[in-house]
Amino acid sequence: MRPKPSALRVLQGNPGKRALNAREPHPGPLPHECPDVLTDKAARAEWDRLVPHLIAIGMVTMTDRAVLVGYCATWAQWLRLYENDDVDRAHKAFTHLVRAAVELGLTPSSRSKVHAIPPAKGSNWADVL
């Protein structure tokens, strides 16, 4: 099992009561703007739908950008395959989509383990610790 970031352990209540890493980096907030690399219309729409909510509840930072881009691109790929009845490839894309969703706390089971606290104005993750 991979170690959890200290901010996530704090949000979950640190059930194991292990000492937190005082030297853990605290990345800045994720910008709302959709990255130019997402050129697919469905991928951009998913970014615009999802990211403002994740930022508002303090679940993502700038270091999560690549996973979010991958999630949105995979969403668009799955949607295209699903609409074209390419079942086998759609199933593979969905598997990758769920993996990214778990990393971001977007599935019901992964989300149930997080107790997110909205960041204060002008704040960052350092304020959570």
Side-chain angles (χ1 to χ4, degrees):
M1 178 178 259
R2 290 179 279 167
K4 292 181 184 177
S6 295
L8 183 58
R9 288 178 38 204
V10 168
L11 292 173
Q12 292 176 340
N14 194 13
K17 307 296 182 211
R18 293 187 188 98
L20 300 176
N21 180 359
R23 294 178 18 187
E24 183 175 340
H26 302 284
L30 178 74
H32 281 81
E33 297 80 31
C34 185
D36 292 338
V37 70
L38 283 177
T39 56
D40 184 279
K41 184 178 177 181
R44 294 183 74 81
E46 182 65 0
W47 178 279
D48 292 339
R49 180 191 75 82
L50 185 62
V51 169
H53 299 293
L54 295 176
I55 292 170
I57 62 173
M59 283 187 62
V60 293
T61 66
M62 61 186 270
T63 60
D64 302 314
R65 182 179 180 267
V67 177
L68 280 164
V69 166
Y71 173 86
C72 293
T74 305
W75 163 259
Q77 178 187 30
W78 173 82
L79 188 59
R80 214 172 20 260
L81 293 168
Y82 181 79
E83 289 171 344
N84 292 318
D85 290 325
D86 192 342
V87 177
D88 289 337
R89 291 177 60 202
H91 177 72
K92 287 180 183 178
F94 190 75
T95 300
H96 293 289
L97 184 71
V98 170
R99 285 182 187 160
V102 167
E103 288 295 319
L104 295 165
L106 301 179
T107 65
S109 60
S110 65
R111 189 174 50 250
S112 70
K113 298 173 186 166
V114 177
H115 302 277
I117 300 168
K121 297 276 187 216
S123 176
N124 64 27
W125 279 107
D127 296 331
V128 173
L129 298 176

